[in-house]
Amino acid sequence: MTSFPSFTIEGYPRVGANRELKKALESFWAGRIDEETFTSSAHSIRLENYARLRDLGLDADYAIPADVALYDHVLETSLTVGLIGGDAEEIDLAEYFALARGNAERSPLEMTKWFDTNYHYLVPEVADSGAITPRAQRILDIVAEAKAAGHVVRPYLVGPVTLLAKSKPAEGAGNPLNRLAELTEAYKTVLAALKEAGVEWVQLAEPALVSDLTVATDEELAQHAADTYAAILGVTNRPQVLISTPYGSLRAGLEALAQAGPEALHVDLAPATLAADAGYAGRVAAAVKAAGKNTVLVAGVIDGRNVWAADLRERLSVLEGLKEAGVEKLAVSSSVSLLHVPHTVAGETSLPVDVAGWLSFADEKIGEAKALSAALAGGTVAAADDFARSDRAVRTRTESARTHNEAVQARVAALPAGQVARQPEFAARVEAQKALNLPKLPTTTIGSFPQTAEIRKARADHRTGVLNEEQYTEALKDEVKSVIELQERLGLDVLVHGEPERNDMVQYFAELLDGFVVTENGWVQSYGSRCTRPPIVVGDVSRPEAMTVEWAKYAQSLSEKHVKGMLTGPVTILAWSFVRDDVPLSVSADQIGVALADEVADLEEAGIEIIQIDEPALRELLPLREDARPEYLDWAVRSFRLVAIDAKPTTQIHTHLCYSEFGQIIDAVAALDADVTSIEAARSRMELLEDLEDSFHSEIGPGIWDIHSPRVPSVAELTELIKAALVNVPTERLWVNPDCGLKTRGYAETEQSLRNMVLARDIVVESL
Ligand code: GLN
Ligand code: ZN
């Protein structure tokens, strides 16, 4: 039996170093390439990744994780084990993409965030009954294809407990976890097939065990894991099993998994995980030792969530601590899949040189894991160059003026501690804001208007120098003008400038704030073929000059109506960036908060009387563990309040959030203390407003048009939704708006839908 490699990674980006898979997928969906061409490029991308991983040092058998997926790894596992999908032996592309993207017969699976990352997975829907028929051929093909190219890879599946814990019940069905015993049998079948194909190691990822979920308590999940793995590991016809637990620290699940005795157990020992749970490394060592099962402890010491070069000496001390605590078999790995970071720093040509030396993306992280494994065996001299580089990065980063800005630190230090509040209170502000003279049930939009092919072309031409600064600005101004004219024509009450100058609502601010750097090629998969390029917070953040004022002023000059200023809030800026690991997140949040407060002041100065601060990511950063949530919500709310704190009472502050499941954060949303809050509500048919009644005093704009689809809602339907909202929200507090920004929509449906929205509002006002 092959023993576990001395170092590995939890997973690797799959879109390709130059987003080859994205391009192949989109060409295939658009019909530009046929199925055979698509299949063969997906095949080459996988093999190129394996070859690169081997070159980077993952050359031992089973060191390379085959966590491959055409669209999503949760979909891959669900189909392979038969949790969803048909029962034909082969899983064809038509079936696969129908589940991922929908077709004429079915809507796609719902998509939601994978733990607290920015990756979205497809949520399997699980009925109470019906056969679970595994279809192992797909995973066998993956293994065989790699083998034919000379790579002995480690097949990857999401584990059964996590798969069900992250599924949702089909219409009317009970808790998906009720089907765990049946599903476990399906995994056993797939594992047996892998064994028969000669596979000696398989990986089952069980991150559900590091989070507090509503479907089961920590103890219940641990019990499920104990039962499931007793069944899976209790048979001999299977490969050796690595159970991995990325995204945080195990609690009850730790003893359960250690006692189950897999041949290898991976734990997340990233700096942030240990900072949140100081005794974790010690508990892990004790649990593995106490279990006495000869399990290899796969120590995820390389941070897979962030882009900073590891402090190798400090990381080595964590590994040595495990050894001293009696862990006999130790391997080095990343804390989570490297899927969450870009491919390589080598892909960046215009990062400041000092900053480049501080960063490690996926490929560099593999080098770090390799160096640690060498040092563990032969001391730091065995990887002297790597340690020297790490020492230099740690030193120069600590000393750099780029990371520390004393003026910013002094300003934030002078802020009052604890929660802050805008004065006067909401009731008095409502009175003051009557001066805005808004009609009953005011209509507005969330900010962006369609990003047309022309805007994207202008942006590209600007980047390549075809358009100079002035020409580019002119093109954008024309766009703003036409967006304002359109809104006037449609009769909207509170206008927006349309955000044509923003490629992305976070990147735009990151480029204008000090303390950030942006990458050229730092793409990270968000879902399917979609990738984002998160900016990096390198140091103390400040605002060298006004960022949005010129656009707002220009737009306002074109209309007698109010034009909203449009800002992205601190939490969202941080949620969609790579953040610092040398200060708590709350410090960066405060800094961004005061920088944006200056922007609010400048907008007011320029005559803008309504300002929206978007916080669509407020819920996304919610810690996986319940006991960490109050502290997070406290600083998150504070940072938002800092933005608005000095706003004049007559300035109306809006906020926007993109989802309707408020459950856990409803109080925090109310605590933002915005004057107007817009939220997603069309899909739930305004039902959520029933729960909002007690918590919300502010005005509210429950989106009545679901902008996630090109469908144009009828006047009748919109009228009904406004009336439904009025059941729970008094007339004086209700706004009429779409669910979210219109950036991804086309102009045809935008115009019709907004026209219908205004008509519906008029009909309702008439009937009051
Ligand atoms: N103002 C942004 C827009 O309209 C808000 C986007 C969002 O909520 N994600 O595009
Ligand atoms: Zn939104």
Side-chain angles (χ1 to χ4, degrees):
M1 272 287 181
T2 309
S3 53
F4 197 81
S6 63
F7 75 98
T8 184
I9 50 173
E10 168 72 8
Y12 190 67
R14 15 180 130 97
V15 283
N18 293 302
R19 290 181 295 157
E20 292 85 351
L21 183 58
K22 171 194 177 69
K23 289 162 199 162
L25 281 167
E26 289 173 2
S27 303
F28 176 57
W29 295 334
R32 288 192 299 272
I33 59 174
D34 62 13
E35 176 156 347
E36 204 186 311
T37 315
F38 170 73
T39 306
S40 103
S41 33
H43 164 85
S44 328
I45 293 163
R46 287 190 294 269
L47 294 185
E48 277 161 28
N49 279 342
Y50 298 150
R52 180 170 329 103
L53 289 171
R54 170 187 283 184
D55 289 346
L56 289 166
L58 293 172
D59 51 9
D61 286 358
Y62 302 105
I64 296 179
D67 61 327
V68 295
L70 290 179
Y71 194 100
D72 168 41
H73 57 271
V74 179
L75 177 60
E76 299 275 340
T77 295
S78 305
L79 285 165
T80 300
V81 299
L83 184 62
I84 58 173
D87 48 19
E89 196 182 321
E90 208 196 324
I91 298 161
D92 66 18
L93 291 181
E95 179 184 10
Y96 189 97
F97 290 128
L99 289 161
R101 314 177 66 231
N103 62 16
E105 283 86 53
R106 61 156 300 149
S107 43
L109 292 174
E110 185 184 310
M111 204 163 51
T112 195
K113 299 258 170 179
W114 182 238
F115 296 89
D116 56 350
T117 72
N118 279 327
Y119 177 82
H120 302 68
Y121 75 103
L122 293 164
V123 186
E125 272 180 37
V126 180
D128 284 335
S129 60
I132 297 181
T133 313
R135 298 153 90 185
Q137 197 52 48
R138 187 177 183 84
I139 198 165
L140 296 174
D141 290 346
I142 297 279
V143 170
E145 150 195 277
K147 197 161 184 188
H151 306 286
V152 179
V153 298
R154 184 175 77 231
Y156 168 100
L157 291 165
V158 175
V161 179
T162 298
L163 191 62
L164 290 177
K166 297 305 252 179
S167 293
K168 67 175 209 183
E171 184 93 42
N175 189 337
L177 281 163
N178 296 340
R179 304 207 62 191
L180 186 55
E182 273 171 274
L183 183 65
T184 301
E185 290 308 308
Y187 275 80
K188 282 160 75 178
T189 307
V190 174
L191 263 49
L194 287 168
K195 165 82 177 183
E196 278 145 30
V199 172
E200 293 183 57
W201 279 99
V202 64
Q203 175 173 351
L204 299 176
E206 290 288 11
L209 294 160
V210 309
S211 61
D212 288 330
L213 301 172
T214 46
V215 287
T217 64
D218 197 53
E219 284 70 27
E220 284 164 349
L221 284 177
Q223 189 56 51
H224 284 314
D227 298 343
T228 301
Y229 286 98
I232 287 180
L233 301 171
V235 298
T236 49
N237 192 23
R238 60 168 178 88
Q240 299 171 90
V241 173
L242 160 66
I243 302 177
S244 64
T245 60
Y247 305 117
S249 61
L250 294 161
R251 288 187 184 169
L254 176 59
E255 275 71 31
L257 292 177
Q259 291 294 337
E263 284 73 24
L265 175 63
H266 160 279
V267 291
D268 173 349
L269 298 175
T273 307
L274 296 183
D277 185 348
Y280 190 46
R283 280 199 290 122
V284 166
V288 169
K289 238 184 99 184
K293 304 273 176 142
N294 216 19
T295 297
V296 180
L297 180 64
V298 183
V301 288
I302 295 300
D303 188 351
R305 292 287 291 273
N306 214 331
V307 291
W308 302 107
D311 177 345
L312 289 181
R313 278 179 214 282
E314 184 274 335
R315 300 282 78 199
L316 183 61
S317 74
V318 173
L319 292 167
E320 277 166 348
L322 293 168
K323 250 170 133 182
E324 277 155 28
V327 175
E328 281 162 23
K329 292 175 152 184
L330 197 55
V332 179
S333 187
S334 61
S335 59
V336 305
S337 170
L338 302 180
L339 156 77
H340 306 297
V341 294
H343 262 275
T344 172
V345 182
E348 302 302 321
T349 54
S350 50
L351 281 175
V353 273
D354 52 340
V355 175
W358 302 341
L359 301 176
S360 279
F361 295 172
D363 290 359
E364 291 77 24
K365 285 177 190 290
I366 294 169
E368 294 175 340
K370 183 178 175 189
L372 284 173
S373 130
L376 201 54
T380 53
V381 288
D385 288 350
D386 297 278
F387 276 78
R389 205 173 319 118
S390 164
D391 291 344
R392 194 157 54 240
V394 170
R395 194 188 62 242
T396 56
R397 201 176 145 207
T398 326
E399 290 167 356
S400 171
R402 199 187 282 285
T403 49
H404 304 286
N405 178 329
E406 272 167 30
V408 174
Q409 288 173 4
R411 179 166 177 201
V412 168
L415 293 170
Q419 203 45 276
V420 294
R422 180 181 173 198
Q423 297 299 336
E425 288 190 349
F426 177 72
R429 300 196 306 259
V430 169
E431 282 309 308
Q433 289 163 22
K434 288 201 169 137
L436 292 170
N437 248 323
L438 295 169
K440 271 197 185 133
L441 307 183
T443 53
T444 190
T445 60
I446 305 305
S448 57
F449 265 68
Q451 289 252 343
T452 56
E454 294 85 79
I455 302 176
R456 282 198 296 270
K457 182 167 184 309
R459 197 166 6 257
D461 286 348
H462 177 230
R463 213 170 30 238
T464 54
V466 175
L467 287 185
N468 65 26
E469 202 59 44
E470 207 175 309
Q471 292 165 318
Y472 178 55
T473 308
E474 276 316 305
L476 294 177
K477 276 180 140 177
D478 287 347
E479 181 65 25
V480 170
K481 188 149 180 271
S482 88
V483 167
I484 295 283
E485 281 166 5
L486 172 63
Q487 295 172 89
E488 294 266 14
R489 229 173 22 250
L490 293 168
L492 286 151
D493 302 311
V494 173
L495 312 189
V496 297
H497 78 287
E499 305 178 25
E501 79 287 12
R502 304 184 189 179
N503 46 357
D504 173 278
M505 63 188 285
V506 168
Q507 173 123 11
Y508 180 75
F509 289 95
E511 281 174 5
L512 296 172
L513 287 165
D514 277 351
F516 280 84
V517 298
V518 294
T519 67
E520 282 166 278
N521 208 25
W523 296 100
V524 174
Q525 186 179 17
S526 168
Y527 65 91
S529 68
R530 293 296 187 98
C531 300
T532 61
R533 208 155 33 105
I536 302 170
V537 191
V538 257
D540 293 328
V541 178
S542 60
R543 187 194 74 139
E545 58 188 11
M547 304 181 284
T548 64
V549 175
E550 284 309 312
W551 293 110
K553 217 158 95 180
Y554 174 66
Q556 186 63 83
S557 75
L558 302 170
S559 177
E560 297 291 309
K561 293 183 170 173
H562 297 289
V563 176
K564 280 194 272 194
M566 198 58 65
L567 305 175
T568 302
V571 178
T572 300
I573 290 184
L574 289 173
W576 297 348
S577 299
F578 290 113
V579 295
R580 293 172 72 173
D581 62 352
D582 54 345
V583 296
L585 223 50
S586 55
V587 170
S588 300
D590 272 11
Q591 294 176 354
I592 299 173
V594 297
L596 292 174
D598 292 346
E599 189 72 12
V600 166
D602 286 346
L603 284 167
E604 284 183 329
E605 179 81 9
I608 303 297
E609 294 179 293
I610 304 185
I611 299 172
Q612 179 170 313
I613 307 160
D614 290 321
E615 278 296 18
L618 182 63
R619 161 155 180 182
E620 216 167 284
L621 275 196
L622 193 70
L624 296 178
R625 290 296 187 189
E626 231 164 72
D627 47 19
R629 289 175 195 163
E631 190 195 324
Y632 158 70
L633 289 171
D634 199 53
W635 68 250
V637 165
R638 168 183 158 98
S639 70
F640 181 94
R641 289 183 170 199
L642 284 174
V643 182
I645 194 146
D646 290 324
K648 295 189 264 187
T650 46
T651 300
Q652 192 172 56
I653 299 288
H654 289 216
T655 189
H656 167 71
L657 303 120
C658 286
Y659 36 81
S660 54
E661 306 104 56
F662 281 104
Q664 296 153 322
I665 60 157
I666 178 82
D667 293 335
V669 176
L672 296 178
D673 193 28
D675 299 312
V676 182
T677 306
S678 66
I679 51 171
E680 180 179 307
R683 272 182 286 186
S684 70
R685 316 230 23 107
M686 305 293 137
E687 272 163 25
L688 80 148
L689 295 177
E690 288 163 23
D691 313 328
L692 291 191
E693 234 178 328
D694 306 329
S695 351
F696 259 73
H697 58 212
S698 84
E699 299 183 14
I700 182 155
I704 58 169
W705 164 29
D706 172 10
I707 62 90
H708 300 91
S709 118
R711 201 178 140 264
V712 174
S714 68
V715 178
E717 177 185 339
L718 294 168
T719 308
E720 276 323 298
L721 286 174
I722 300 173
K723 287 186 173 159
L726 281 171
V727 172
N728 293 299
V729 183
T731 322
E732 337 57 90
R733 281 176 39 212
L734 188 67
W735 283 66
V736 172
N737 49 259
D739 257 353
C740 196
L742 305 173
K743 182 160 127 173
T744 56
R745 291 274 59 87
Y747 263 106
E749 73 257 22
T750 294
E751 216 175 309
Q752 284 184 50
S753 303
L754 291 178
R755 178 170 301 115
N756 290 354
M757 190 180 90
V758 174
L759 281 171
R761 188 278 309 268
D762 292 346
I763 290 170
V764 176
V765 168
E766 195 69 7
S767 74
L768 288 174

